[in-house]
């Protein structure tokens, strides 16, 4: 340690000269990056050459989309920025979906793209693309470094911006000549960003308004979003809810932020949320939103959303406050700091005994349901079994669609940082690569990737990474031989005109898994599910489980587009 300190001091006095590629590697080391995901190409060869023998842990994914979704999974579970490297042109454009996904779901990423040399930028050179123009709408910040001396500070600022305030993706575009040029490496400066000063500490007067609003309330409810998880504030949410005896509703991305088995938990709200959760949002007289965006899949028709409530909105991003739902008590700040202050205030509780009793009655009368079968595999039942076999402690990742909603409904998340899914963008193909990142973020937890047969086939090449690293990920395909959610909507809203939503042919998923060196098995009945699924989930190797589930099963309850949050169908069998 003493020798290292002396080396660092010497570097401050006499900055080391190195190439841009070497600067990147040294900066990643100083940022204590544990893993990076990428795919090399011509424009980033100077970076990859310096990566050789550097000691940094690099994952060669089989597609750039796999790299960035893996980085998202890593960021979601670790809380640290996921790091990605891709080459110019198609390498960079293949990252756009992941950037947009991370942007809307507030995941910290630092992404490095190669670029053609500055001397030919704008000439339509081979594998040139206007990466800044393409990615600026889907990044928190993006910059093209034109001189090697600018690179260290650009990297320092990227990690700072990605991980502070509302997290998000930051992109640095590095021309090839910058990567090979030599300059002075200085990494001790503090970023000076006058235009970027995120507020974290809440305004005391707004906190008092919220405390007083609770004391006047008779029907309060907390809506907890992913902001609680990003702020590592789950324990504070639980303490505050218990102190004030306020029931808690979760958004899709907020699941795990409050224990699903807690008496104050009402379930997930929104299009496929529980009756109890949605009606609590409809009937409440005080809605305390902590870290949620009020997106359309949650609110339904805004005219009917929380129409009787005083609305308090706690968010790190002031742009979200009042954007979709008029807000009476805006509180800008970090969710953990806000909850700590609310707990400290220990205000007068709401007179909500009747309200709490009503929620208990509603949970008993309107539970989530499905028509069970002794033989046919019901997807809801399968998720319940996965929860039992993993003791509710697994990290669950998903793609997007019916299987995602069933996982959200029927896998009761008891712990924080257990749920990795694509929310705002709704990205098919997200589940498998994000499971890789999640497993690398926490090697000691079981990771189960719950996938649809459609989404799985979009990024299945990442099975090669799972085999190569021998990650004990369990891949469960809920195979209904269709694009399930598309088929459901066509059944309900398009008079059963199933236009290109059912698969005419599918690969043999067992042989496909085996081709990648992974054990594959197919389960076709509840008897097989009970035995084979348990054994597979408890094994120490990667396994692909192809579960042939009920083809025509639909996700209920459901709020149809344009309807209010209280206008649910399929509430009871």
């Amino acid at each position: 340690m003493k020798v290292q300190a002396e080396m660092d001091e010497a570097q401050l006095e006499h900055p080391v000269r190195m190439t841009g590629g070497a600067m990147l590697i040294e900066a990643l080391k100083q940022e204590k990056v544990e893993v990076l995901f990428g795919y090399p190409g011509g424009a980033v060869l100077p970076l990859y050459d310096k990566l050789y023998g550097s000691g940094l842990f690099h994952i060669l994914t089989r597609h750039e989309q796999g790299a960035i979704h893996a980085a998202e999974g890593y960021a979601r579970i670790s809380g640290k920025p996921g790091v990605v490297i891709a080459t110019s042109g198609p390498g960079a454009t293949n990252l756009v979906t992941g950037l947009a996904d991370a942007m809307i779901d507030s995941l910290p990423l630092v992404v490095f793209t190669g670029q053609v040399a500055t001397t030919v930028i704008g000439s339509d050179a081979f594998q040139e693309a206007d990466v800044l123009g393409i990615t600026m709408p889907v990044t928190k910040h993006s910059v093209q470094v034109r001189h090697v001396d600018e690179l260290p500070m650009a990297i320092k600022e990227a990690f700072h911006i990605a991980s502070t305030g509302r997290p998000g993706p930051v992109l640095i575009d590095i021309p090839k000549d910058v990567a090979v040029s030599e300059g002075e490496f200085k990494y001790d400066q503090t970023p000076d960003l006058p235009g970027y000063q995120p507020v974290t500490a809440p305004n005391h007067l707004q906190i008092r308004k919220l405390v007083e609003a609770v004391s006047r309330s008779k029907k309060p409810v907390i809506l907890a979003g992913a902001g609680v998880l990003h702020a590592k504030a789950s324990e504070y949410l639980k303490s505050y809810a218990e102190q004030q005896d306020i029931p808690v509703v979760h958004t899709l991305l907020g699941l795990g932020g409050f224990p699903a088995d807690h008496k104050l938990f009402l379930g997930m709200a929104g299009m496929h949320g529980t009756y109890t959760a949605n009606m609590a949002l409809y009937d409440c007289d005080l809605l305390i939103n902590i870290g949620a965006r009020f997106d359309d899949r949650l609110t339904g028709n805004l005219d009917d959303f929380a129409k009787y409530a005083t609305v308090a909105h706690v968010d790190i991003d002031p742009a979200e406050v009042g954007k979709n739902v008029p807000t009476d008590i805006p509180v800008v700040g970090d969710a953990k700091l806000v909850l700590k202050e609310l707990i400290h205030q220990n205000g007068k509780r709401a007179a909500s005994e009747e309200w709490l009793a009503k929620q208990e009655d509603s949970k008993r009368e309107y539970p989530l349901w499905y028509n069970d079968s002794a033989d046919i595999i019901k997807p809801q039942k399968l998720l319940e079994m996965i929860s039992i076999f993993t003791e509710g402690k697994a990290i669950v990742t998903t793609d997007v669609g019916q299987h995602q909603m069933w996982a959200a409904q029927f896998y009761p998340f008891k712990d924080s940082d257990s749920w990795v899914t694509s929310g705002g963008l709704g990205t098919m193909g997200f589940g498998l690569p994000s499971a890789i990142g999640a497993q690398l973020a926490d090697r000691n937890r079981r990771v189960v990737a719950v996938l649809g047969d459609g989404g799985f086939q979009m990024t299945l090449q990442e099975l090669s990474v799972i085999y190569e690293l021998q990650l004990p990920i369990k891949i469960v395909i809920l195979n209904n031989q269709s694009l399930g959610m598309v088929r459901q909507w066509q059944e309900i809203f398009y008079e059963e005109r199933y236009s290109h939503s059912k698969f005419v042919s599918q690969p043999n998923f067992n042989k496909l898994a085996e081709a990648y060196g992974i054990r594959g098995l197919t389960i076709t009945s509840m008897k097989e599910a009970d035995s084979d699924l348990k054994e597979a989930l408890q094994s120490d190797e990667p396994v692909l489980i192809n579960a042939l589930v009920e083809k025509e099963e639909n996700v209920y309850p459901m709020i149809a587009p344009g309807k209010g949050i209280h206008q649910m169908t399929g509430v009871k069998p």
Side-chain angles (χ1 to χ4, degrees):
M1 293 295 291
K2 181 180 179 182
V3 172
Q4 182 64 49
E6 290 175 352
M7 290 174 61
D8 292 342
E9 186 177 342
Q11 182 175 318
L12 292 178
E13 295 176 1
H14 305 286
V16 177
R17 291 188 63 81
M18 58 179 72
T19 65
M23 288 180 180
L24 173 61
I25 301 306
E26 184 59 31
L28 295 179
K29 289 181 178 180
Q30 294 205 26
E31 292 291 343
K32 295 181 171 55
V33 171
E34 298 169 331
V35 59
L36 52 153
F37 306 87
Y39 204 100
V44 288
L45 284 181
L47 308 181
Y48 272 86
D49 184 60
K50 297 304 179 183
L51 183 61
Y52 186 85
S54 67
L56 289 175
F57 183 34
H58 177 277
I59 306 298
L60 173 62
T61 58
R62 296 332 190 234
H63 192 284
E64 290 89 354
Q65 185 176 354
I68 197 161
H69 290 331
E72 288 185 274
Y74 174 84
R76 176 63 196 82
I77 296 302
S78 71
K80 303 171 185 176
V83 180
V84 181
I85 302 178
T87 195
S88 63
T93 58
N94 281 341
L95 298 176
V96 172
T97 297
L99 288 169
D101 192 273
M103 183 68 176
I104 199 165
D105 284 353
S106 306
L107 293 173
L109 301 180
V110 177
V111 177
F112 300 95
T113 54
Q115 184 56 275
V116 300
T118 56
T119 53
V120 293
I121 288 177
S123 69
D124 292 331
F126 177 67
Q127 291 193 332
E128 180 187 0
D130 180 7
V131 176
L132 293 195
I134 293 168
T135 64
M136 193 172 291
V138 293
T139 53
K140 188 177 177 183
H141 177 65
S142 58
V143 63
Q144 185 179 84
V145 177
R146 287 296 190 115
H147 193 280
V148 69
D149 289 338
E150 301 169 358
L151 185 57
M153 182 52 74
I155 299 171
K156 173 82 82 171
E157 291 174 352
F159 277 91
H160 175 69
I161 294 170
S163 57
T164 55
R166 178 179 176 177
V170 176
L171 183 141
I172 300 179
D173 196 41
I174 305 175
K176 191 171 184 178
D177 56 330
V178 172
V180 299
S181 298
E182 196 174 88
E184 289 187 349
F185 179 73
K186 298 178 182 178
Y187 209 70
D188 58 305
Q189 303 109 313
T190 302
D192 182 20
L193 300 166
Y196 178 71
Q197 301 293 330
V199 175
T200 56
N203 182 285
H204 179 73
L205 293 177
Q206 297 304 99
I207 292 289
R208 285 305 308 166
K209 287 181 182 179
L210 179 49
V211 171
E212 291 163 5
V214 171
S215 71
R216 295 191 301 267
S217 173
K218 293 183 179 180
K219 297 188 289 184
V221 66
I222 294 170
L223 172 66
V228 172
L229 295 166
H230 295 315
K232 304 297 180 185
S234 298
E235 286 301 316
Y236 295 94
L237 172 63
K238 181 172 176 284
S239 296
Y240 176 65
E242 290 175 342
Q243 182 195 75
Q244 297 297 314
D245 218 15
I246 301 176
V248 177
V249 168
H250 263 318
T251 65
L252 172 67
L253 289 179
L255 290 170
F258 193 82
D261 56 356
H262 198 286
K263 67 176 184 178
L264 290 173
F265 185 57
L266 306 185
M268 180 182 74
M271 179 173 280
H272 294 293
T274 67
Y275 176 86
T276 303
N278 284 338
M279 290 306 297
L281 293 179
Y282 180 74
D283 287 331
C284 67
D285 65 5
L286 174 63
L287 171 55
I288 306 171
N289 175 347
I290 305 177
R293 296 187 295 109
F294 282 135
D295 70 285
D296 60 297
R297 287 295 173 103
L298 169 78
T299 63
N301 190 320
L302 285 170
D303 292 337
D304 291 316
F305 182 75
K307 61 192 300 182
Y308 311 111
T310 296
V311 176
H313 191 167
V314 177
D315 207 292
I316 192 74
D317 184 358
E320 292 295 342
V321 180
K323 185 179 79 174
N324 294 329
V325 173
T327 300
D328 303 292
I329 306 174
V331 183
V332 176
D334 177 83
K336 182 189 289 187
L337 296 180
V338 172
L339 285 164
K340 287 176 72 173
E341 182 59 27
L342 288 170
I343 293 166
H344 176 71
Q345 291 283 327
N346 194 14
K348 179 184 175 183
R349 286 187 179 189
S352 57
E353 292 79 8
E354 290 184 13
W355 172 247
L356 291 169
K358 179 180 179 180
Q359 304 315 311
E360 286 300 311
D361 291 342
S362 180
K363 284 195 285 186
R364 283 191 295 269
E365 186 174 355
Y366 300 101
L368 292 167
W369 64 273
Y370 59 93
N371 292 318
D372 205 353
S373 170
D375 187 46
I376 299 172
I377 300 175
K378 293 289 185 168
Q380 304 95 324
K381 180 71 171 181
L382 200 70
L383 266 301
E384 289 179 334
M385 294 170 70
I386 292 172
S387 174
I388 292 169
F389 295 153
T390 61
E391 300 178 344
K393 295 183 177 299
I395 295 172
V396 177
T397 76
T398 77
D399 279 326
V400 170
Q402 286 182 315
H403 69 279
Q404 177 193 34
M405 294 298 106
W406 285 319
Q409 291 176 332
F410 290 95
Y411 192 102
F413 294 95
K414 301 173 185 177
D415 301 317
S416 60
D417 301 323
S418 299
W419 176 236
V420 182
T421 196
S422 173
L425 195 64
T427 304
M428 290 180 67
F430 175 88
L432 185 66
S434 67
I436 294 171
Q439 187 71 86
L440 291 171
D442 193 336
R443 295 275 194 160
N444 297 319
R445 292 182 67 186
R446 188 171 299 153
V447 175
V448 181
V450 178
L451 312 176
D453 45 319
F456 168 67
Q457 294 184 73
M458 289 189 170
T459 52
L460 62 84
Q461 69 276 354
E462 304 309 330
L463 288 173
S464 188
V465 177
I466 293 174
Y467 170 74
E468 183 178 299
L469 300 177
Q470 279 300 293
L471 300 175
I473 295 168
K474 308 302 180 286
I475 304 149
V476 183
I477 301 173
L478 272 57
N479 187 350
N480 55 14
Q481 299 172 51
S482 67
L483 299 173
M485 192 62 84
V486 176
R487 185 208 56 75
Q488 176 171 336
W489 279 51
Q490 288 175 337
E491 175 188 327
I492 297 172
F493 304 117
Y494 293 90
E495 300 177 350
E496 300 184 10
R497 293 191 295 275
Y498 300 117
S499 178
H500 303 284
S501 60
K502 296 186 177 183
F503 293 117
V504 177
S505 64
Q506 284 187 325
N508 183 317
F509 288 117
N510 285 13
K511 290 184 177 179
L512 181 65
E514 290 166 5
Y516 281 96
I518 293 172
R519 181 161 73 97
L521 62 94
T522 294
I523 54 178
T524 62
S525 67
M526 288 307 303
K527 183 179 180 181
E528 291 177 344
D530 193 47
S531 58
D532 296 350
L533 180 64
K534 182 177 182 180
E535 183 277 326
L537 288 172
Q538 294 180 351
S539 71
D540 294 325
E541 62 178 341
V543 184
L544 184 148
I545 302 112
N546 176 31
L548 300 181
V549 300
E550 171 65 63
K551 293 181 183 179
E552 306 300 323
E553 195 74 9
N554 288 337
V555 182
Y556 289 113
M558 181 177 183
I559 302 171
K563 296 296 184 180
I565 198 167
H566 62 302
Q567 296 172 306
M568 287 163 278
T569 59
V571 173
K572 286 192 172 185

